[in-house]
Structures are given as structure tokens and as C-alpha cells.
Amino acid sequence: MVKVTLVKSASNETKTVKNTVAALGLKKIGQNKTFEETPANMGQIKKVGYLLKVEKV
């Protein structure tokens, strides 16, 4: 399991980055979600990792 927290805004990013953050279910700074470590989830997290804080749970 991986806990992901949005720490930077995606408002000035490209459309694909905004869509990836939205697909992760993150809308507001400080919001967090927990995900399984599947290849699809980890790929999304890696793509926008500079906007996120990632912790192993």
C-alpha cells in the first residue's frame, strides 16, 4: 500500500498532468489517498511524483 498526498498545485501544469492528478482522485492540496502498488497506479504516481508526497504504508 502507498499513501499519496498532494503537496503542490497542478493548476499551472499541462492538461495530461491535471488529468493524471484527477484520476488519482486528488483535488485539493493536503488531500491524501491510499493505493495498492499495482503497475498502473505506480506509473501514474511516478508521472506526477514531483507534485506528491509518497509514503509506504
Side-chain angles (χ1 to χ4, degrees), residues 7-8 13-14 17 45-52:
V7 294
K8 289 187 179 179
E13 300 296 331
T14 62
V17 171
I45 291 168
K46 185 176 179 181
K47 181 176 181 178
V48 295
Y50 60 97
L51 299 174
L52 307 172

Side-chain angles (χ1 to χ4, degrees), residues 10 21-22 31 45 53 57:
V21 171
Q31 187 177 11
I45 291 168
K53 177 181 171 187
V57 176

Side-chain angles (χ1 to χ4, degrees), residues 2-37:
V2 176
K3 182 179 177 183
V4 178
T5 305
L6 187 63
V7 294
K8 289 187 179 179
S9 173
S11 64
N12 292 331
E13 300 296 331
T14 62
K15 188 174 183 177
T16 57
V17 171
K18 289 179 186 179
N19 290 343
T20 304
V21 171
L24 289 170
L26 301 170
K27 296 180 180 181
K28 296 182 178 182
I29 294 176
Q31 187 177 11
N32 56 40
K33 289 257 182 166
T34 305
F35 297 99
E36 295 287 334
E37 292 186 51

